[in-house]
Amino acid sequence: MLKRKKLYRESNIEVLRILAMFMILLGHAWYHYECGVGDYPLKKVAYHIVNPLLYMHVDIFVLISGYFGLKLKSTKIFSLYTTCLFYTFVAMFFAFVLPDISFHWKSLLFPITQGGWWFIRIYVALILISPMLNLIIEYYHSRHQWRGLIVIAFIFNFYISYLHRVDSIYSMGYDLFNFSCLYILGRYVALKKVNWCSKTIVTALLVLSFFKLGISELGFTFPIIEKAIRIKTYCNPVNVFSAFLVFLLFLKWKKGWSNPLVNNISTSTLSIYLVTDNQYVRGGGGKMITEYCYNNISDKIWYVPVYMMILVIVFMLCILLDKVRIRITTPLNTVLSKTWKSK
């Protein structure tokens, strides 16, 4: 059997986790909340440069899961369930406070599948099939046939899914095929101890980034280019390899470093996604904050700095909220786990 990496938290990877989650927060802000407001300085920079570069954050998270490995455990499922249940109650608060937003009561019973969080649904599916993936990886690893496994993963994710958009498989990377491919890549890095030259990584990352920016800029002028290349999809090979290179870069940075504060913050980063991609916050609260910020700043040159500061505050408030959630759900997880094991 393959040995998984020790589950102590390497702070260089945790910094990457925090950075990726802030990228997700930026993506939600610009895509869901902010795109409807008026013009301001740096708007073109935000939408033409920063936003296209963000489309690798989710891929980074799944690569990290692959690097450390997943194991199907009831405690993990219970923990995700109670976490989603907690944030469903938070969502219910927003639904009652904000006007013209109705609460869907099914999300209280089925927070994972009915809570509106696509990432959680696919991630739980990845956990459920992880024993099968781990067996496949172990088979190819023991026979030193990684090349064959990587080729198979790429054929499914890039050729069948991304290129041909086969029904029931392709979903712009919001799907199990993309997550499985990324998981295999993450395990490959861990088991083969991939250690590329920093200069090679940075050069390749710059080339891919300039390519993304060029395609994105052309896509604004010629929408048919964006429709054909779909640079804003998680399963786009450019985004997958960009995430892969960023991951390799952070693996080399401060290897073996451990910082308790960084690790403590990173354990609660999922809360930012669960709050900001909540269907009620996304549909009302986020837009209200954005519009209030825009309408009350007379000199629009200050809009981006102020808005970024607000996002940092939101980020930290979500982290603090999750520490409250941990105090509440940890005893519940313990009871559920003991009840399950007793059966």
Side-chain angles (χ1 to χ4, degrees):
M1 294 292 290
L2 295 176
K3 292 183 179 180
R4 288 182 177 79
K5 295 183 72 64
K6 291 181 180 179
L7 294 180
Y8 77 94
R9 291 189 173 268
E10 302 173 19
S11 294
N12 53 335
I13 303 301
E14 301 311 312
V15 169
L16 177 59
R17 201 191 299 268
I18 294 168
L19 177 62
M21 187 54 75
F22 191 74
M23 291 165 66
I24 287 175
L25 177 57
L26 284 176
H28 290 165
W30 274 318
Y31 189 79
H32 294 304
Y33 318 146
E34 204 273 337
C35 58
V37 305
D39 196 15
Y40 55 85
L42 298 178
K43 185 165 188 175
K44 285 188 176 180
V45 173
Y47 283 88
H48 290 225
I49 296 179
V50 178
N51 201 35
L53 294 177
L54 298 178
Y55 281 89
M56 58 177 170
H57 37 52
V58 169
D59 294 346
I60 288 172
F61 270 98
V62 187
L63 281 169
I64 292 173
S65 294
Y67 180 73
F68 289 106
L70 289 175
K71 189 174 181 180
L72 179 57
K73 289 184 177 181
S74 58
T75 52
K76 178 72 173 179
I77 303 297
F78 286 143
S79 178
L80 276 171
Y81 178 84
T82 55
T83 298
C84 290
L85 186 62
F86 176 86
Y87 285 103
T88 300
F89 278 105
V90 174
M92 186 169 62
F93 167 78
F94 279 100
F96 284 119
V97 169
L98 298 174
D100 303 322
I101 295 180
S102 58
F103 183 75
H104 304 293
W105 292 99
K106 284 194 297 185
S107 60
L108 278 175
L109 291 176
F110 311 104
I112 290 177
T113 54
Q114 300 293 323
W117 296 298
W118 74 267
F119 178 86
I120 296 297
R121 292 195 297 271
I122 306 301
Y123 190 74
V124 168
L126 182 66
I127 294 173
L128 292 175
I129 69 165
S130 62
M132 180 183 69
L133 287 175
N134 291 334
L135 284 174
I136 293 171
I137 290 168
E138 182 178 351
Y139 174 85
Y140 279 91
H141 181 69
S142 62
R143 287 161 178 76
H144 307 285
Q145 295 177 353
W146 268 104
R147 185 178 298 177
L149 180 57
I150 295 295
V151 168
I152 292 170
F154 284 3
I155 286 174
F156 272 102
N157 199 37
F158 299 148
Y159 182 75
I160 297 177
S161 178
Y162 167 76
L163 187 60
H164 291 284
R165 295 182 247 190
V166 174
D167 291 342
S168 76
I169 292 178
Y170 172 74
S171 185
M172 299 174 64
Y174 299 76
D175 52 69
L176 191 55
F177 279 90
N178 187 46
F179 275 39
S180 298
C181 178
L182 290 163
Y183 182 81
I184 290 170
L185 271 178
R187 296 302 296 144
Y188 171 73
V189 172
L191 297 173
K192 294 293 287 183
K193 296 180 172 56
V194 177
N195 186 23
W196 291 5
C197 170
S198 297
K199 187 177 180 180
T200 301
I201 296 172
V202 172
T203 302
L205 188 58
L206 287 174
V207 169
L208 290 178
S209 298
F210 279 116
F211 176 79
K212 287 173 67 175
L213 293 176
I215 294 299
S216 178
E217 185 63 32
L218 286 172
F220 281 100
T221 308
F222 306 102
I224 192 171
I225 294 177
E226 171 58 33
K227 187 176 181 180
I229 298 182
R230 288 158 288 146
I231 203 68
K232 296 178 182 178
T233 58
Y234 294 129
C235 61
N236 187 301
V238 176
N239 291 327
V240 170
F241 286 119
S242 295
F244 178 72
L245 291 169
V246 169
F247 182 57
L248 290 182
L249 200 59
F250 271 81
L251 277 177
K252 294 176 70 68
W253 176 65
K254 287 192 174 184
K255 194 171 182 65
W257 172 52
S258 182
N259 183 287
L261 178 61
V262 169
N263 296 348
N264 189 37
I265 292 173
S266 70
T267 57
S268 292
T269 50
L270 184 62
S271 64
I272 288 91
Y273 168 75
L274 293 173
V275 170
T276 61
D277 200 41
N278 180 283
Q279 54 191 317
Y280 308 105
V281 176
R282 188 175 64 224
K287 289 182 179 179
M288 287 177 59
I289 293 173
T290 301
E291 289 172 0
Y292 180 84
C293 178
Y294 182 82
N295 293 330
N296 286 274
I297 295 177
S298 55
D299 189 352
K300 294 300 184 284
I301 198 171
W302 292 104
Y303 172 72
V304 171
V306 171
Y307 193 63
M308 291 294 292
M309 183 178 68
I310 290 173
L311 291 181
V312 171
I313 292 171
V314 168
F315 189 98
M316 296 312 300
L317 286 176
C318 289
I319 296 295
L320 292 175
L321 176 63
D322 198 63
K323 299 309 176 186
V324 175
R325 190 274 307 169
I326 290 172
R327 290 293 186 95
I328 295 172
T329 60
T330 298
L332 181 59
N333 290 336
T334 303
V335 171
L336 287 172
S337 179
K338 288 181 178 179
T339 303
W340 176 265
K341 287 180 180 178
S342 65
K343 292 181 179 180

